[in-house]
C-alpha cells in the first residue's frame, strides 16, 4: 500500500524477509557450531584466560541437539518480530529492533572472526546475507517513510534483547534436551 506519491510500499520481502535471512544464516550455524566448538575450545581457553571457566564448560557442553532446539526457540522470536513487521507495514518497533539487532549480530560475527583470525560460525553468511539484508531492509523502510530514528540507546536495547532471547532460548533448550 502506498503511503504517498513519494513513499514506497513495505513488501513482505522486507518484513518476512527478516525471518528468511535469519533462517539462511542460522543454517550455517546449525551446520558448524557443534564441531567448531569441539575443535576450537582448547585454543580459545588458552587465548582468553580471563574468561571464567564456567563459561567455557557451558559452551563445551552444548551438543548439536540442544543447539538445534535453541535455534528453533529463536526462530519463534524472529518469526513473531517478522509478522509484527508485516502486520504494521514495517512500523512495528519490535520488528525494527529485531532488524537492527540482526544486523548488529552479523557485525558481532565478523568481529569474532577477526578476533580469532579465521572462520567462526556465522561469519560466512554475515557479510553475504545478514548485513546486506539489514541495510537493504532499512533502506526500504526509510523510503517508505516508516523507519524510526535509530539512537545508540535503541541499538543497545536491541542487542540486549537479542542477548536475553539467546540466553532464554539456550536455557529452554537445555531444559528440554537434558530433562
Amino acid at each position: 500500500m502506498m503511503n504517498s506519491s513519494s513513499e514506497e510500499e513495505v513488501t513482505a520481502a522486507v518484513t518476512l524477509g527478516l525471518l528468511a535471512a535469519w533462517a539462511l544464516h542460522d543454517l550455517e550455524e546449525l551446520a558448524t557450531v557443534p564441531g567448531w566448538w569441539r575443535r576450537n575450545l582448547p585454543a580459545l581457553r588458552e587465548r582468553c584466560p580471563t574468561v571464567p571457566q564456567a563459561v567455557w564448560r557451558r559452551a563445551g557442553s552444548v551438543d548439536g541437539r540442544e543447539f538445534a532446539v535453541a535455534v528453533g526457540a529463536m526462530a519463534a522470536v524472529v518469526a513473531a518480530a517478522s509478522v509484527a513487521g508485516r502486520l504494521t507495514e514495517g512500523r512495528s518497533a519490535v520488528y525494527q529492533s529485531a532488524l537492527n539487532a540482526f544486523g548488529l549480530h552479523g557485525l558481532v560475527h565478523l568481529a569474532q572472526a577477526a578476533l580469532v583470525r579465521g572462520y567462526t560460525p556465522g561469519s560466512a553468511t554475515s557479510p553475504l546475507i545478514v548485513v546486506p539484508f539489514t541495510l537493504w531492509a532499512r533502506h526500504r523502510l526509510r523510503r517508505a517513510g516508516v523507519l524510526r530514528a535509530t539512537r545508540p540507546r535503541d541499538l543497545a536495547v536491541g542487542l540486549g534483547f537479542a542477548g536475553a532471547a539467546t540466553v532464554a532460548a539456550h536455557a529452554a533448550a537445555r531444559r528440554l534436551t537434558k530433562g
Side-chain angles (χ1 to χ4, degrees):
M1 173 174 156
M2 295 294 225
N3 296 322
S4 76
S5 60
S6 66
E7 295 175 343
E8 292 184 10
E9 179 181 1
V10 174
T11 64
V14 175
T15 55
L16 300 178
L18 173 60
L19 179 59
W22 176 87
L24 290 170
H25 172 68
D26 268 46
L27 284 173
E28 176 195 359
E29 291 184 337
L30 280 168
T32 59
V33 165
W36 189 90
W37 269 116
R38 275 193 306 281
R39 289 186 307 278
N40 291 281
L41 194 57
L44 290 171
R45 277 184 160 157
E46 186 176 309
R47 189 172 194 175
C48 305
T50 58
V51 173
Q53 288 304 308
V55 171
W56 296 124
R57 278 192 301 278
R58 175 68 182 102
S61 72
V62 177
D63 62 18
R65 194 170 126 234
E66 180 182 334
F67 186 74
V69 171
V71 167
M74 280 301 293
V77 172
V78 177
S82 297
V83 169
R86 185 71 194 132
L87 294 174
T88 62
E89 297 180 321
R91 289 173 177 80
S92 165
V94 170
Y95 163 73
Q96 289 191 23
S97 292
L99 178 64
N100 290 336
F102 181 60
L104 291 171
H105 165 83
L107 296 178
V108 168
H109 277 301
L110 295 175
Q112 290 169 335
L115 208 69
V116 302
R117 296 184 185 104
Y119 176 80
T120 58
S123 65
T125 53
S126 286
L128 299 174
I129 296 171
V130 177
V131 173
F133 174 80
T134 301
L135 293 173
W136 173 80
R138 286 180 50 81
H139 172 75
R140 294 297 303 264
L141 293 171
R142 186 177 300 108
R143 287 188 63 167
V146 299
L147 183 66
R148 296 168 184 264
T150 306
R151 303 170 308 222
R153 178 184 176 278
D154 300 323
L155 298 176
V157 167
L159 274 179
F161 176 76
T166 301
V167 168
H170 280 276
R174 166 120 334 185
R175 188 171 186 96
L176 290 169
T177 60
K178 305 291 189 221

